[in-house]
Amino acid sequence: MPMAVLRNSLASISAQIEPRFRFRTMNIIASKNRNPNQNIQQKVIPHCQVIPGADSREINHIVEETFGRYTSKALKRNGKGVAIVWFRNDLRVLDNEALLKAWDSSEMVLPVYCVDPRHSQTTYHFGFPKTGALRAQFLIECLADLRKNLMNRGLNLLIRHGKPEEIIPSLAKSFGAHAVYAQKETCSEELNVERLVRKNLQQVVLSSQSNDKSTNHPQLKLIWGTTMYHLDDIPFDHSSLPDVYTHFRKSIEAKCTVRGCIRIPSSFGPPPSVVDWGSVPLIEQLELHSPKVSKGMRFVGGESAALGRVNEYFWKKDLLKVYKETRNEMLGPDYSTKFSPWLASGSISPRYIYEEVKSYERERVANDSTYWVLFELMWRDYFRFISLKYGNSLFHLGGPRKLEYKWSQDQKLFESWRDGCTGYPLIDANMKELSMTGFMSNRGRQIACSFLVRDMGIDWRMGAEWFETCLLDYDPCSNYGNWTYGAGVGNDPREDRYFSIPKQAQNYDREGEYVAYWLPQLKALPKERRNFPGGSYIEQIVSLKHGNINQNRNQNDSLTRTGRRNNFKGKHAQVNR
Ligand SMILES: Cc1cc2nc3c(=O)[nH]c(=O)nc-3n(C[C@H](O)[C@H](O)[C@H](O)COP(=O)(O)OP(=O)(O)OC[C@H]3O[C@@H](n4cnc5c(N)ncnc54)[C@H](O)[C@@H]3O)c2cc1C
Ligand SMILES: Nc1ncnc2c1ncn2[C@@H]1O[C@H](COP(=O)(O)OP(=O)(O)OP(=O)(O)O)[C@@H](O)[C@H]1O
C-alpha cells in the first residue's frame, strides 16, 4: 500500500477508536515513515538534545491521556480530618500509594515537600557537594511539575525549607493532622530522618474528640513504593535474600507477580486552607549556580516529562524492540531508555513502566529486548532489597563481604579521573559527559569504575561519592550497590571484574565517535586512532594493569601485566557484562 494511502486509512481508523489507542496509532504512523534504527545508525548527534524531545503541547496531551487511563470514578474516600503526604523520593501523582492512602483516610490532604538543608551539605567522607547543580535543577523541575499535576487534581504542594523532623510535626499540629503518609526508605540517612519525624510526632498532642488516648498523636505511616516487585510479595524475608542477582531474579520471576498500578480519583481535593503554599526553590536559594547544559543530553525534570519519555522511547520512536542490541552504546538519547533520573526521583513508578512494556508486547512485539528492560529493572529492585539486608555495610570500604584490600587515596590520580584528564580518551570522555550533563551510560559507568579501582587502585568510595554529587539518577542503593560490585567487595560471583579499555573501545566505540564528541581535539584523527591517540593527546597518568593501550591498538585482550599495582587477589578475568 502506498504510504499516503496507509497514512490516510490509519488516520481515519484512529478517529473512531479509544483515545489511548488513537494516540498510539498516530505514533505508529510516524514510526512507519522512518527507519526505527535511524537515530542509532546515523549518529548525527546535535550539540544538545532535550529529553524528552516532545514539546509542551504534546507532553500535556500524553499526561492527560495517561491520567485519564488511571482514573476511577468509583473510588470513594472513607476517612475524617486531615492527613499529610510527606513527599520524598516519590515526586509523582500516578501510582503513588502514600498519596492515595492519605486521600482515602481523610477529608482533606495536605501535600508537603521539605527542602532539606542536609542535601546541600557534603558527602560523608570526601566532602564533595551532596547534590550537584544539575541534579538540584532537575529536582526543582520535578517539584514545579508535581505542584502542577497536584493542582490539576484539586490539590497543591506546600513547599517549606528546613528539616522534615521539624516541619512535618509542626504542620501536623497546626492542621490537626491525624496521620502523615510517606514512602519508606531503606538507607541510614533517610531512616534517621524517619526516626526523628516519628519521635517528634509523638510530642504532638491532637485535640482529638476521641477518648482513645493512644491515637492522640499523629501517626507516621510509611508505605513501600520504590520497587517494581513489592517488598511484601517477594518470596523471602529480606534477611535471607539471595546474594547473587541471578538467584534473586529467578526466584522472583518464578514466584511473584508485579502488582498493577493503583487507580486515582478524578480529584484529590479539597485542599486545606493554607495562607502561603511557598514557592518552588530557585537554584540560588540552594547556594548553587544555575547549570547550563550546552552539549549532550539535557533531561527535563518531573512526572510529565517522564511520561513523555516513556511514550517517546516505546511508542513514538519504537525503540523498545531493539533495546537489547543498543543498550551498551554510549552516545545519544536512543540507545537506552534514560528512565533512571525519573525513577530515582520517583517521578515515575517502575510498575507503570512494567505495564507499558506489557502493552507494547501485546500491541507491537514481545522479544528479548522488551524482556530486557524488565531484567534491568530487576537489578534496580535487587540493589534496593540488598540495602535492606546489608544496611550500612553497602557504604563501608569492605562492602557487604567485609573484604580488605589496600586502597590508595592519591589526590592527583583521583582528580585526573574526576576531571577527565587521565590520558585515556574513553575515561576522559565519560567523565566529561558526567560533569557536563549529570548522566553517563551504564557501559561508561562500568568502565570508569573499573579504571578508578583497578587501574588506579583508588578507594572506590571516592568514585561513588563523586557519582553521588553528579548523577541526575543518584540513588544510594543503585549507586553504592554497583560500586561495591565493581570494586569487588559486593556480591559478584566473579572474582575480579576488570574492564580492559582497549577492548571496550574496540567493542563499543570502534569509530571513536563517542570520544570525539566529548573530546573534539580528537576529531581530526583517523577514526581508528581516536581511542588510541598516542602523543597526539595528553599523557597517560597511569599504565593499565592489564595491557598497555599503545601496545594494544589492534589487540583485544592482551593480559600483559605491568605489575604497577597489585591490590587485588584472585584471577583477573576480563568480562563483558
Ligand atoms: C558504578 C555505577 C553506578 C551506578 N549508579 C547508579 C545510580 O546512582 N542510580 C541508578 O539509577 N543507576 C545507577 N547505575 C546503574 C545504571 O548505570 C543506570 O541505571 C543506567 O545507566 C541508567 O540509564 P538508563 O535509564 O538509560 O538505563 P536502561 O539501560 O534503559 O535500563 C532501564 C532501567 O533499569 C535500571 N537499571 C539498569 N541497569 C541497572 C543497574 N546496573 N543497577 C541498577 N539499576 C539498573 C535503571 O533504573 C534504568 O533506568 C550505576 C551503575 C554503575 C556501574
Ligand atoms: N542515602 C544515603 N546516601 C549516601 N550515603 C548514605 C546514605 N545513607 C547512608 N549513607 C552512608 O552510610 C554510612 C553510615 O555510616 P555511619 O558511620 O553513620 O554508620 P555505621 O554503620 O555505624 O558506620 P561506622 O561503624 O563506620 O561508624 C555513611 O557512609 C553514610 O554516608
Side-chain angles (χ1 to χ4, degrees):
M1 194 187 296
M3 193 48 73
V5 179
L6 173 70
R7 200 180 303 123
N8 287 343
S9 63
L10 279 173
S12 82
I13 296 166
S14 76
Q16 300 160 27
I17 52 182
E18 227 190 294
R20 169 183 174 207
F21 296 110
R22 185 184 321 151
F23 193 74
R24 289 186 183 167
T25 314
M26 294 309 286
N27 290 333
I28 299 174
I29 299 169
S31 69
K32 283 221 188 288
N33 286 329
R34 58 198 291 282
N35 172 354
N37 293 338
Q38 205 172 31
N39 287 16
I40 299 157
Q41 283 164 3
Q42 281 184 349
K43 292 269 180 60
V44 181
I45 307 289
H47 240 59
C48 176
Q49 280 177 291
V50 177
I51 319 246
D55 62 22
S56 57
R57 229 184 93 249
E58 198 181 333
I59 299 271
N60 286 343
H61 181 52
I62 292 162
V63 171
E64 227 173 85
E65 185 270 337
T66 313
F67 272 60
R69 232 183 318 138
Y70 284 96
T71 300
S72 164
K73 294 213 169 80
L75 291 174
K76 297 262 175 306
R77 67 202 309 184
N78 300 303
K80 289 252 173 288
V82 176
I84 289 177
V85 189
W86 165 31
F87 279 98
R88 308 176 81 193
N89 288 321
D90 55 340
L91 304 177
R92 64 173 182 272
V93 172
L94 282 180
D95 200 31
N96 186 329
E97 232 167 307
L99 173 61
L100 186 77
K101 287 209 154 109
W103 175 80
D104 183 49
S105 70
S106 69
E107 290 160 303
M108 267 187 277
V109 176
L110 178 65
V112 183
Y113 183 83
C114 306
V115 183
D116 190 331
R118 285 167 293 215
H119 295 162
S120 302
Q121 292 174 351
T122 52
T123 57
Y124 194 76
H125 293 284
F126 301 102
F128 309 139
K130 183 89 177 150
T131 309
L134 288 158
R135 186 165 74 252
Q137 179 61 39
F138 185 85
L139 286 172
I140 286 170
E141 291 168 12
C142 289
L143 291 178
D145 188 67
L146 177 63
R147 173 172 273 178
K148 190 180 105 198
N149 286 345
L150 285 169
M151 288 177 90
N152 285 339
R153 293 263 147 175
L155 285 180
N156 199 333
L157 179 66
L158 179 60
I159 300 176
R160 288 272 188 273
H161 289 252
K163 295 180 175 171
E165 61 267 31
E166 288 159 14
I167 292 170
I168 299 290
S170 139
L171 289 171
K173 188 168 186 316
S174 316
F175 286 85
H178 61 77
V180 175
Y181 287 84
Q183 180 171 279
K184 177 87 188 91
E185 287 289 340
T186 56
C187 295
S188 64
E189 285 178 7
E190 291 78 5
L191 293 180
N192 202 27
V193 179
E194 283 172 14
R195 196 177 49 75
L196 293 170
V197 169
R198 173 167 282 124
K199 183 169 156 248
N200 292 349
L201 284 173
Q202 297 283 309
Q203 312 302 316
V204 177
V205 180
L206 298 173
S207 51
S208 157
Q209 283 145 20
S210 155
N211 291 329
D212 178 0
K213 296 285 176 232
S214 66
T215 59
N216 243 3
H217 306 291
Q219 305 292 303
L220 178 61
K221 311 253 187 193
L222 294 168
I223 313 290
W224 189 261
T226 58
T227 49
M228 184 164 72
Y229 286 93
H230 198 285
L231 176 66
D232 295 345
D233 298 341
I234 59 171
F236 12 71
D237 177 70
H238 67 256
S239 57
S240 52
L241 189 89
D243 283 336
V244 175
Y245 169 72
T246 310
H247 300 165
F248 163 81
R249 177 181 59 77
K250 288 191 170 157
S251 186
I252 57 168
E253 283 183 321
K255 296 180 189 152
C256 313
T257 48
V258 175
R259 294 183 184 187
C261 291
I262 55 171
R263 296 290 177 266
I264 54 170
S266 40
S267 169
F268 286 99
S273 155
V274 173
V275 179
D276 177 10
W277 286 93
S279 1
V280 173
L282 299 170
I283 192 125
E284 292 77 15
Q285 289 174 285
L286 308 177
E287 291 171 33
L288 292 163
H289 293 296
S290 179
K292 181 147 176 49
V293 178
S294 53
K295 219 176 156 170
M297 292 173 284
R298 145 88 169 101
F299 287 76
V300 181
E303 179 172 29
S304 305
L307 296 173
R309 177 60 185 171
V310 175
N311 185 276
E312 174 175 87
Y313 188 82
F314 286 10
W315 303 103
K316 191 170 174 182
K317 294 188 170 177
D318 207 11
L319 291 165
L320 178 55
K321 66 180 183 214
V322 291
Y323 167 76
K324 190 158 181 256
E325 291 138 49
T326 57
R327 59 176 282 272
N328 277 311
E329 295 178 20
M330 292 180 285
L331 192 56
D334 290 346
Y335 63 82
S336 69
T337 67
K338 309 293 182 307
F339 295 160
S340 58
W342 294 289
L343 281 162
S345 53
S347 307
I348 198 152
S349 125
R351 297 194 298 219
Y352 174 76
I353 298 172
Y354 177 87
E355 290 190 354
E356 288 291 287
V357 170
K358 292 291 148 192
S359 300
Y360 183 94
E361 288 180 339
R362 279 191 304 273
E363 294 176 33
R364 298 216 178 151
V365 63
N367 61 17
D368 282 357
S369 284
T370 57
Y371 166 70
W372 217 259
V373 167
L374 304 180
F375 178 97
E376 295 300 339
L377 287 171
M378 282 187 270
W379 268 107
R380 181 175 172 277
D381 278 13
Y382 164 76
F383 283 126
R384 176 59 68 167
F385 294 132
I386 280 287
S387 79
L388 275 176
K389 178 170 178 180
Y390 285 103
N392 279 345
S393 65
L394 202 61
F395 302 96
H396 293 167
L397 191 57
R401 288 200 288 156
K402 306 198 187 317
L403 294 177
E404 281 186 25
Y405 293 129
K406 206 165 140 260
W407 299 97
S408 149
Q409 291 185 354
D410 185 307
Q411 201 59 24
K412 188 163 157 259
L413 287 188
F414 173 74
E415 282 172 13
S416 74
W417 177 84
R418 182 194 64 191
D419 300 339
C421 303
T422 64
Y424 291 93
L426 196 55
I427 300 300
D428 297 349
N430 270 293
M431 296 308 294
K432 290 208 186 296
E433 180 179 10
L434 176 66
S435 53
M436 287 171 75
T437 69
F439 191 82
M440 190 194 284
S441 67
N442 186 52
R443 176 74 17 207
R445 293 181 205 200
Q446 291 180 95
I447 301 169
C449 165
S450 165
F451 181 79
L452 185 80
V453 302
R454 300 185 189 280
D455 290 312
M456 289 185 153
I458 299 283
D459 182 338
W460 65 268
R461 296 170 308 172
M462 295 176 90
E465 287 194 10
W466 181 244
F467 272 32
E468 178 175 344
T469 298
C470 297
L471 283 174
L472 295 179
D473 64 26
Y474 170 66
D475 165 79
C477 311
S478 287
N479 188 54
Y480 285 85
N482 274 291
W483 271 96
T484 53
Y485 216 81
V489 298
N491 295 314
D492 190 350
R494 291 184 232 231
E495 262 193 39
D496 187 356
R497 203 167 265 273
Y498 182 77
F499 285 74
S500 147
I501 292 178
K503 180 174 169 159
Q504 296 292 318
Q506 288 278 344
N507 285 353
Y508 301 106
D509 192 32
R510 188 176 285 271
E511 310 249 288
E513 278 177 284
Y514 177 72
V515 293
Y517 181 78
W518 288 104
L519 307 166
Q521 65 269 43
L522 299 175
K523 252 190 204 140
L525 294 181
K527 290 181 175 177
E528 68 284 0
R529 278 200 52 217
R530 288 170 174 173
N531 268 289
F532 311 99
S536 317
Y537 185 57
I538 53 177
E539 204 186 324
Q540 294 167 354
I541 192 138
V542 289
S543 49
L544 296 179
K545 198 162 182 185
H546 299 307
N548 184 293
I549 206 158
N550 290 324
Q551 295 159 2
N552 277 285
R553 281 188 44 197
N554 298 313
Q555 217 177 314
N556 279 357
D557 252 333
S558 165
L559 285 173
T560 316
R561 268 183 174 265
T562 62
R564 192 184 148 70
R565 272 182 196 81
N566 198 11
N567 295 336
F568 293 91
K569 299 175 192 107
K571 225 171 94 228
H572 293 274
Q574 308 209 0
V575 295
N576 275 320
R577 192 168 136 198

